[in-house]
Amino acid sequence: MENLSLLLPEIALSGFALLLMLADVWIPPKHGRVLFHLALLAAAAGLGLLGLCASNPAAYQGVGTLWTVDPLSVFFKILVLASAVLVLLLSVDAKRQDEHHLGTYSGLILLASAGMMLLVSAVDLVMVFLALELISISSFVLTGFERGDQRSSEGAIKYFLFGAFSTAVMVFGLSLFYGATGTTHLLKPVPQYSYATSTMFLLSCLLMLVGFGFKVSMAPFHFWVPDAYEAAPTPVTTFLSIAPKVAGLAMLLRVFTRLIPHPALELSALFSFLAMLTMTVGNLTALFQTNVKRLLAYSSIAQAGYMLIGFVTADALGREGVLLYSLVYLFMNTGAFAVAIAVGNEEGYGLEGFDGLAQRNFGLALVMAFFLLSLAGIPPMAGFVGKFTLFAAAVQGGFYGLAVVAVLNSVVSVYYYMLIAYRMFFVPPRTERPVAPGLYLFSGLALAAIAVLVIGVYPEPVLSVVKISAEMLP
Amino acid sequence: MGILSLVTFLPLLGALILLFIPKEDKTATRAVGVGAALLTFLVSLLTLRSFDPSLSAPEGLAMQMVERFSWIPSFSIHYHLGVDGLSLPIVLLTTLLSVCAAVYSMNIEVRVKEFYFWLLLLEVGMTGVFVSLDLFLFYVFWELTLVPMYFLIGIWGGPKKEYAAIKFFLFTLFGSVFMLLGILALFFASNPHSFDMLELARSHGAFGREFQIIVFLAFYLGFAVKVPAFPFHTWLPLAHVEAPTGVSVILAGVLLKMGVYGLLRVCYTILPAGYEWFLPFLVIIAFINIVYGALCAMAQTDMKKMVAYSSINHMGYALLGMAAVSPTGFSGASLQMITHGLITGALFLLVGVIYDRAHTRDISAFGGLGAKVPLYAGLMSLTCFASLGLPGLAGFISEFLCFLGAFPVWKLYTSLSVIGILITAAFFLRMIQKVFLGPLNEKWASLSDMNARELVSVLPLTVLTVLFGLWPSLILDLMNPTLEALAKLFPGMFQLVR
């Protein structure tokens, strides 16, 4: 049992998650908030344990050969846990229908996080499958957590049906992969893709891509996104829009740019097309939304499209772009959702809730403007640095068409992001009642805002971390 | 911290101080807003002391007061500032017009704090564009002007403000994202990879002609929207008319100059082959801008709209001067940027003055105001004369230089463009006649003349207009050595068109 320490964070997190669900039984609903604090502690402990995983390349793989704990996976594990922490902060102050089962709620968030942490480490397709299922099942339940709300249940069912279908397709792809190569292990030295021309192998890759594409909301597998996002409790929406997406992208990076590089399979043109489709579909549909959760849902599809650029170019700069953008996206999207929760607690989630926010709480409106501008990629916000890196990768890799489509999409996206700014700053408020975010929400918001500004103005430290993490990809 | 950083970021300091002033205290807010702009202007004047116009480098780009240190080493991006005879006058223009706009806008009563916050932030972006010598930094500052302008138009503007604001935002961004791709293409084409304008200009020989043409077009999209060059001008009348007076001044006086400046600073020095290839088109666009802009202005009954369209016409002169690629043409274009900033800035302020009183800008709604408000009539007439190019005023010098420079190369288009001057004279004279001459329209019998706030914001511009008209070498000496060096940078240019 050497290097068991590599898995300590996941083990600890899962243990805590089960404990939290048990604690639900004993802790009365009126003290339910205690459970959030415990979950936060658990996530923080997980972050601390990740420090123990920092090791040398010789010890990347511990027991078995199912996973590898390299800088790339550590980077994404930190992102996932940071996202869990932020989401738990947001959850404390979000309005709920009832205070029951908060232990289950926070436990499921931790379990989903553990699944994502396993996913970004996985180097065996069986492991990939198990991790994906752990994430999916936790997310299905979380989406339908507002049991009293029919929409919530409807969204959860939709999500589940789509999810189950894509999983089935992916498993079929896995079996074909095994048939073509005789292994599910991705690190095994395989004869230089001599089977690359084999139809069975290509088909297996494409079918697996359906499963992965579902997770990262790649078009045309994105249909579940707006319904599930709108139906889920908003903190869960925040979580779903960030953590599974970046984890899925990390796994795509590992599998399809390093272990089975897609340029070798001559799939780059297809992936480039899918990236363009994803961002265009996301942006064009977002233009017509009147609900902030749906708007941010479509925006998150478009954001996934931008991140796919780094996956398409499949070179060092592209990988760095994905890593950097994932980090930035974590902060800016959490921030935007945090403001949406603060407003939504009072006014509901229609866009008209933002009317005149600048006059009700100028600070809140200003940071929301920061997050929106960051999402739109306007300097000096962090989102610009991320997009800049991704576009740079596209230009360097010679994907000029993709670059042009991507920048045009940025222009389109400004319209709907500014639609919120327009409501906040230009439209007079319908009520003078000030909007006051709770303490936990405020701290999450402040963290996100500081990160977005600091990374935007001085990105060098983050860039160098990203560089190290991306280069060490096995 | 060098003096250029100080000039660039002083307004930001002012904006941050503003955040700590309670929003009920409008007097203090205005004091800080105007004070920060004024202080920035005074500091920017200090640069004149250490600026040596005659300094030149063998390769033609002699930057002064340079500040350079590594900002993002991963992409070899530097924080690189510097000025030469091309940019320094525009920087001074920027800081001056910001003061005028801040002073004039003291009559704004709603959301004063936000107004000055965005105005000062805008000044940071504008100054930054003209002093940055690193393309990444240039782009950051370029985009930094967008957001404040969006809010300034959208909150304090006229009836169609929201539409004008988003149209301005989307148009400019549409152009500038292509510029971003151009910047990236240059970065990856250069060896070693660099965003440094000076280094890129030195290594322009390494870029093939086709590459230069494509990248030139990408940059051109960004700059043409800002100039605005036909057919990307449609955002301008809307934005200028809907913007509040002070902001129109900045829009016309400074933001348009970013386009012309960018064409000279980036396109011409880094992509000479692309620039050369584009010259025949540039001169046609200049011609269209001049004549079409003037004709559109002629058709307007709204004074502000007329002035807005006259900006398109005036920027056409600058483009014409740039198409000449000669010392005369370049100094004409550069001087045109300055004089247009002064004159049109003053015109927008003066139109604002009458609109604040009469709440209409319809030319035919007035009549006989000359005797009623003599001071206003005098200033307005003087500025109109300057704008239509009356000798003795600044506008004449710059337009004359543009024509003089362009004529030897583009005889046909230069001759045709003269029509523009004629039309400009026609619509300005018509306006003077309808507003100030004839019998007094009794409706305006109680109209008051300009007050101290308005005079303080307009007079500096008028004084400079007269001063540069009578004594142009005052400013030409500042820029000519640089422009001469620039024009002689590529002796081989024009082989094609000549």
Side-chain angles (χ1 to χ4, degrees), chain B residues 10-210:
Chain B
L10 254 184
L12 182 66
L13 187 69
L16 292 180
I17 293 175
L18 271 183
L19 287 181
F20 295 101
I21 295 177
K23 70 177 165 196
E24 290 77 23
D25 195 348
K26 290 181 181 173
T27 324
T29 312
R30 288 180 185 130
V32 172
V34 175
L38 190 65
L39 188 65
T40 313
F41 174 60
L42 293 178
V43 174
S44 72
L45 281 182
L46 286 181
T47 54
L48 281 175
R49 272 183 40 202
S50 47
F51 184 75
D52 174 14
S54 59
L55 192 76
S56 68
E59 64 270 49
L61 295 160
M63 291 298 164
Q64 305 186 33
M65 293 170 249
V66 173
E67 295 167 40
R68 186 171 197 269
F69 54 85
S70 198
W71 176 25
I72 309 176
S74 302
F75 281 105
S76 58
I77 294 167
H78 292 87
Y79 177 83
H80 190 181
L81 304 183
V83 287
D84 61 0
L86 173 62
S87 47
L88 184 68
I90 315 182
V91 171
L92 296 177
L93 177 75
T94 307
T95 52
L96 173 66
L97 284 179
S98 299
V99 177
C100 295
V103 170
Y104 189 91
S105 304
M106 283 165 81
N107 65 339
I108 282 182
E109 290 293 335
V110 285
R111 301 165 80 176
V112 182
K113 183 171 148 181
E114 285 173 66
F115 181 87
Y116 280 103
F117 178 79
W118 293 123
L119 191 69
L120 290 173
L121 211 57
L122 178 65
E123 193 182 349
V124 176
M126 295 187 303
T127 317
V129 165
F130 297 122
V131 296
S132 54
L133 294 176
D134 183 285
L135 281 174
F136 184 89
L137 190 64
F138 177 81
Y139 185 80
V140 168
F141 280 126
W142 181 279
E143 297 283 67
L144 195 59
T145 60
L146 281 185
V147 181
M149 193 46 104
Y150 171 78
F151 286 113
L152 284 170
I153 298 176
I155 300 181
W156 294 274
K160 282 192 284 182
K161 55 191 178 182
E162 291 93 357
Y163 176 58
I166 194 70
K167 188 167 180 182
F168 164 80
F169 200 138
L170 291 181
F171 254 69
T172 320
L173 190 67
F174 168 79
S176 58
V177 290
F178 283 99
M179 182 162 87
L180 178 64
L181 289 185
I183 291 174
L184 286 171
L186 278 181
F187 176 71
F188 289 114
S190 58
N191 194 12
H193 294 345
S194 171
F195 284 112
D196 192 303
M197 290 188 196
L198 305 181
E199 274 172 34
L200 287 170
R202 272 193 289 274
S203 58
H204 67 87
F207 308 135
R209 184 160 181 274
E210 296 208 337

Side-chain angles (χ1 to χ4, degrees), chain B residues 396-412:
Chain B
F396 170 72
I397 312 283
S398 54
E399 285 170 28
F400 180 72
L401 283 175
C402 289
F403 281 107
L404 189 67
F407 188 72
V409 203
W410 310 101
K411 293 199 171 54
L412 175 66

